[in-house]
Amino acid sequence: MLNPQWLRTLKTVVAERGFQAAAESLGIAQPTVSLHISKLEQQLRVALIKRNKTACYPTEAAKRLLPFVDSILNLSQQAINAIRTDCVRVGSSSNIGIYMLQPHIRSYIDKPQSSQIELTIDDNPTIVNKMANFELDIAIVEWWQPLAGFVTKIWKVEPLVLITSPQHPLGQLDDISLEQLQTISLIGGERGTGTGRILSEKFTGDLTAPKISMQLGSTEAVKQAVKENLGVSLVSASTVTEEVTRGTLSAVPVAGGTLNKTLIIVQRKEPQLDVSQQSFVEHLYDDVSNPRF
């Protein structure tokens, strides 16, 4: 295994372009810097630093190594933090984290002896990458590509609804069929949420998937556009609860409950799951089965 301290020293020598400057930056003696570089070179069996009269430069081997150094150092620090603090690192895709997850976190941390929760909200592909890179303990996402070493379970099934402005004629419908939807142009939101996959799965054969009239990048942008009667869109029902209650948006169910999004909890496949992580996951399932809000 590569020694994180040696890697940190290498990174600093390259950044400072000298051993003495690196020693001063790290707060260690120059001979210690030389020792770290020498040990690393011996382990890797390559030269890492070349010198001239005025400065030090990375060799080609060092240039190939350096892109990995930050990841190794970050992972090392994360491991130390995990040992020192009882904290569960949770990641969620944007719509889940913004509109659905936070009340469950609130009710969890209100429980006696609960662990700290560190929440990261980002687009679905980013959360998938962070989970795969050990930057998260648990992910709640809208889609997950199967990967070795991970287990997935369904958290909840979220219906998609057609949202319109209250003035739009479609907003007066009791529900809308797939046949009707195929004739409508939709405003698109954030890419990578899985909605496109659902549409491609459902609109097959004689059915043609709805066209996308705009791609606005986020659910909030979509809602604002729909409020201004610039078009209509398909979104998860939970993302428009407040607007529908206030009467600023209308939500039309899809007939027969035929368009639904499956939200997934992802954990690492371990011989024995971390107690704090498992406690939080069990709370998520319990809160969905017995809602408090």
Side-chain angles (χ1 to χ4, degrees):
M1 297 294 290
L2 297 175
N3 186 307
Q5 184 57 61
W6 300 348
L7 293 173
R8 185 176 289 105
T9 300
L10 172 65
K11 179 182 175 182
T12 307
V13 168
V14 171
E16 299 291 343
R17 300 181 65 185
F19 280 56
Q20 182 59 47
E24 293 173 1
S25 176
L26 292 168
I28 58 179
Q30 182 175 338
T32 303
V33 172
S34 299
L35 179 62
H36 288 176
I37 299 300
S38 176
K39 289 286 188 182
L40 193 54
E41 290 178 329
Q42 290 174 27
Q43 183 181 19
L44 295 174
R45 299 180 182 179
V46 293
L48 295 171
I49 297 295
K50 54 186 177 182
R51 306 167 177 81
N52 61 25
K53 293 182 180 180
T54 58
C56 296
Y57 302 92
T59 64
E60 291 303 313
K63 291 178 182 178
R64 291 192 292 271
L65 173 61
L66 285 168
F68 298 95
V69 169
D70 283 339
S71 295
I72 294 171
L73 294 178
N74 288 338
L75 186 58
S76 176
Q77 188 60 51
Q78 289 166 20
I80 293 170
N81 292 342
I83 293 169
R84 292 177 177 173
T85 61
D86 183 16
C87 178
V88 181
R89 300 170 302 165
V90 178
S92 74
S93 55
S94 301
N95 286 339
I96 297 173
I98 295 170
Y99 301 106
M100 305 176 208
L101 186 60
Q102 296 189 51
H104 298 289
I105 293 177
R106 176 74 264 171
S107 60
Y108 173 76
I109 63 178
D110 284 342
K111 295 168 66 174
Q113 300 180 328
S114 62
S115 303
Q116 298 178 42
I117 299 296
E118 182 181 291
L119 177 61
T120 298
I121 300 174
D122 215 316
D123 59 73
N124 209 104
T126 299
I127 294 300
V128 169
N129 289 336
K130 285 181 178 292
M131 191 69 182
N133 292 333
F134 293 87
E135 297 176 51
L136 298 170
D137 302 312
I138 297 166
I140 302 99
V141 290
E142 299 180 44
W143 59 263
W144 175 264
Q145 192 72 29
L147 290 175
F150 294 89
V151 293
T152 61
K153 293 181 180 179
I154 295 174
W155 178 39
K156 62 185 295 190
V157 176
E158 180 73 12
L160 295 180
V161 294
L162 181 76
I163 59 169
T164 75
S165 71
Q167 298 79 30
H168 198 287
L170 290 176
Q172 312 308 313
L173 297 176
D174 292 328
D175 59 28
I176 189 166
S177 67
L178 297 184
E179 288 76 14
Q180 290 171 297
L181 279 174
Q182 72 177 342
T183 65
I184 299 170
S185 293
L186 301 174
I187 297 174
E190 181 180 303
R191 295 183 186 274
T193 62
T195 301
R197 297 184 184 196
I198 295 170
L199 294 179
S200 64
E201 290 171 0
K202 292 294 184 180
F203 287 85
T204 57
D206 294 333
L207 290 174
T208 303
K211 294 180 180 179
I212 302 300
S213 60
M214 304 183 225
Q215 194 75 50
L216 299 187
S218 74
T219 300
E220 281 301 307
V222 168
K223 290 195 291 186
Q224 292 303 318
V226 173
K227 286 178 184 178
E228 295 298 329
N229 210 14
L230 298 178
V232 300
S233 186
L234 281 171
V235 300
S236 297
S238 293
T239 66
V240 291
T241 302
E242 290 188 9
E243 289 83 0
V244 172
T245 300
R246 294 172 184 168
T248 57
L249 285 175
S250 296
V252 181
V254 179
T258 48
L259 287 184
N260 296 294
K261 188 171 289 188
T262 302
L263 309 184
I264 303 166
I265 294 178
V266 184
Q267 294 177 272
R268 283 185 187 82
K269 189 176 182 180
E270 304 287 358
Q272 185 172 355
L273 293 173
D274 179 89
V275 173
S276 297
Q277 295 173 27
Q278 196 57 32
S279 171
F280 178 67
V281 170
E282 290 173 357
H283 176 80
L284 291 180
Y285 285 118
D286 179 60
D287 254 13
V288 169
S289 301
N290 304 287
R292 300 172 175 81
F293 31 79

